[in-house]
Amino acid sequence: MSRYAVVSNDPDFLRSLRAAATGDLAGEVQVWEGGGFPASPNDVLVRLAAPSTLDVLILGPGMPMEAAFRLAGEFETQVPDVTVLLAARPSPDVVLAAMRAGIRDVMEPEADVAMVTDLLRRAVRSTAIRRSAANPQDRHSTQGAAGRVITVVSPKGGVGKTTIASNIAVGLAKSAPHGTVLVDLDLQFGDVSNALAISPEHSVTDAVHGPARRDTMVLKTFLTAHPSGLYALCAPESPDAADHLTGEDIAHLLVQLASQYRYVVVDTGAGLSDHTLAALDKATDFVFVSSMDVPGVRGMRKELDVLAELGMTPLKRHMVLNGADFKAGVSRQDAETALGTSVDVVIPHARAVRISTNQGIPLLQGTSRGPVPKALQQLLARFVAPTAPPRKHGPRHRIGS
Ligand SMILES: Nc1ncnc2c1ncn2[C@@H]1O[C@H](COP(=O)(O)OP(=O)(O)OP(=O)(O)O)[C@@H](O)[C@H]1O
Ligand SMILES: [Mg+2]
């Protein structure tokens, strides 16, 4: 059973479409009934009873071309697993613009039932292929989160959490385009938008309240696309907004995202806020980031102890020492002794990191070489390896008693 949404007021076209949506293509045809035309995927999706079941959007006769191309382009970046068709006179200019906007096929406005059936069949198949390519695991699984949730934490500020989270995310997006999302849970002073040089229109607040909470397809329209193929969900503009978000909101959000994306990378603020604890509770991977100095390592040791007391242990743990300067008096071995655990990756100090932060271009976005990209690649390789086995029973972590 497929689900079609159509924007058109042409009764003949709607009749053909309904006749085509039968047999093996049987499905509900929902007609846009708003005044004017939808301006964004969100406009279309929030009107549907169950947005996440939408398979094909048909921009029918009557919709102005400019508006149709703009809307199709936004579907292509925000919800690329919905296939878009256009009914318009297929002149070379229209076909070229349609192709650029990510429209799958163009049909004559007077297309007969056989033609509409043919295009619908291809569109439904295209949706199925896009969905399985975006997430080879069973995305409709009811077994819980399928994707890997990688939460980056440290007890201290300014030690490189955002740098590391944004590099991991961009690096993973290269291996899984449209399969990676970066969430900024440094809710008061998050700067993922600066680290990626993007201007988000929506934030975590929009994603956890309203229809996005109930439907993952609406949630996707609140993500900001980055040229690397990564999606980002940025922190709210106002630091006060964090007060209106609970740990439960964050947990729900991460489960939703992990059901849709292969990798969910979470940047956090310093310390163990309720939001960070919720992100750790839903994580498959903890990335601990410490500076390579005595206060940094001591703080990290305390954080490890607190998490152990809370019974929070990840499926995989990655200990990173960042900004290492071996002349400063703390060796990797000293750090390992003080932490009581091995260090997995050491990222040296380099001016290039600060430059990349200031430019908003993570080092792994480009092809730059050197000790820092090399260490970041080493960290990345730990996630690209086969995923951890899915959890079978009950919660993996416990917060408090
Ligand atoms: N390996 C490094 N070498 C040099 N500079 C670095 C390195 N890692 C991070 N920095 C710089 O340190 C600054 C702080 O980094 P970042 O914002 O990633 O830290 P953070 O832990 O996210 O901070 P906050 O807790 O404030 O969110 C940035 O200007 C960044 O460019
Ligand atoms: Mg940060």
Side-chain angles (χ1 to χ4, degrees):
M1 171 98 175
S2 299
R3 188 88 179 279
Y4 313 100
V6 54
V7 182
S8 181
N9 51 12
D10 181 322
D12 292 337
F13 183 77
L14 293 176
R15 209 169 300 119
S16 300
L17 186 62
R18 286 201 171 95
T22 51
D24 61 326
L25 295 173
E28 189 186 345
V29 178
Q30 200 143 2
V31 183
W32 168 263
E33 275 165 359
F37 297 96
S40 71
N42 192 272
D43 283 351
V44 177
L45 296 174
V46 293
R47 279 166 198 263
L48 306 179
S52 48
T53 58
L54 180 63
D55 296 296
V56 183
L57 171 70
I58 302 110
L59 305 176
M63 183 157 184
M65 284 298 99
E66 274 307 304
F69 294 140
R70 207 174 321 115
L71 181 62
E74 289 205 22
F75 262 91
E76 177 70 0
T77 48
Q78 293 182 347
V79 260
D81 51 354
V82 172
T83 302
V84 182
L85 300 176
L86 175 71
R89 205 64 67 226
S91 69
D93 284 353
V94 166
V95 171
L96 184 63
M99 206 176 72
R100 288 188 176 140
I103 291 171
R104 172 76 171 75
D105 263 315
V106 181
M107 64 185 116
E108 291 279 358
E110 302 84 18
D112 61 16
V113 177
M115 171 66 89
V116 179
T117 305
D118 185 38
L119 262 56
L120 269 196
R121 180 163 292 115
R122 279 195 263 164
V124 167
R125 203 179 305 138
S126 162
T127 297
I129 291 169
R130 284 174 188 226
R131 286 184 177 157
S132 60
N135 189 350
Q137 288 136 331
D138 182 10
R139 56 188 297 118
H140 294 301
S141 160
T142 51
Q143 303 289 312
R148 207 156 164 175
V149 179
I150 302 165
T151 300
V152 182
V153 290
S154 85
K156 306 258 179 197
V159 298
K161 293 179 295 300
T162 303
T163 304
I164 288 170
S166 52
N167 273 288
I168 295 174
V170 163
L172 290 173
K174 281 190 181 168
S175 72
H178 304 298
T180 307
V181 59
L182 172 59
V183 183
D184 192 347
L185 283 192
D186 185 354
L187 293 170
Q188 283 191 302
F189 303 109
D191 47 11
V192 161
S193 57
N194 292 330
L196 297 177
I198 51 176
S199 310
E201 283 179 28
H202 304 284
S203 76
V204 174
T205 309
D206 305 301
V208 301
H209 295 139
R213 189 179 177 92
R214 293 184 296 277
D215 204 292
T216 49
M217 203 169 274
V218 177
L219 171 61
K220 287 179 180 182
T221 66
F222 290 127
L223 307 181
T224 305
H226 181 257
S228 64
L230 167 72
Y231 294 102
L233 184 54
C234 294
E237 271 289 304
S238 153
D240 297 344
D243 298 342
H244 305 289
L245 297 167
T246 64
E248 199 279 323
D249 289 335
I250 299 304
H252 180 79
L253 170 69
L254 296 180
V255 170
Q256 275 183 296
L257 290 172
S259 74
Q260 299 293 306
Y261 294 93
R262 193 186 298 187
Y263 297 109
V264 181
V265 182
V266 185
D267 185 21
T268 63
L272 293 174
S273 66
D274 284 353
H275 303 125
T276 299
L277 284 171
L280 288 171
D281 190 47
K282 293 296 168 209
T284 52
D285 297 68
F286 295 1
V287 178
F288 293 108
V289 184
S290 174
S291 52
M292 208 160 163
D293 50 26
V294 172
V297 172
R298 285 209 178 132
M300 179 56 76
R301 175 65 195 245
K302 276 193 207 161
E303 181 156 312
L304 295 178
D305 290 345
V306 170
L307 291 176
E309 271 171 38
L310 293 175
M312 298 183 77
T313 44
L315 290 172
K316 287 211 166 184
R317 196 219 60 180
H318 316 267
M319 179 61 71
V320 181
L321 293 182
N322 183 39
D325 173 0
F326 294 100
K327 292 182 213 124
V330 177
S331 69
R332 178 180 186 147
Q333 207 178 356
D334 294 338
E336 289 183 334
T337 308
L339 290 169
T341 182
S342 58
V343 167
D344 300 301
V345 178
V346 178
I347 303 174
H349 185 274
R351 208 161 58 95
V353 181
R354 211 165 278 269
I355 295 171
S356 90
T357 301
N358 292 336
Q359 291 175 334
I361 305 174
L363 285 169
L364 293 191
Q365 191 173 331
T367 50
S368 59
R369 292 162 195 265
V372 174
K374 196 170 157 205
L376 288 168
Q377 288 289 0
Q378 216 183 316
L379 179 57
L380 195 62
R382 299 173 66 85
F383 308 109
V384 178
T387 42
R391 175 165 48 123
K392 289 218 173 80
H393 304 291
R396 190 168 42 244
H397 312 297
R398 184 169 49 85
I399 300 179
S401 52

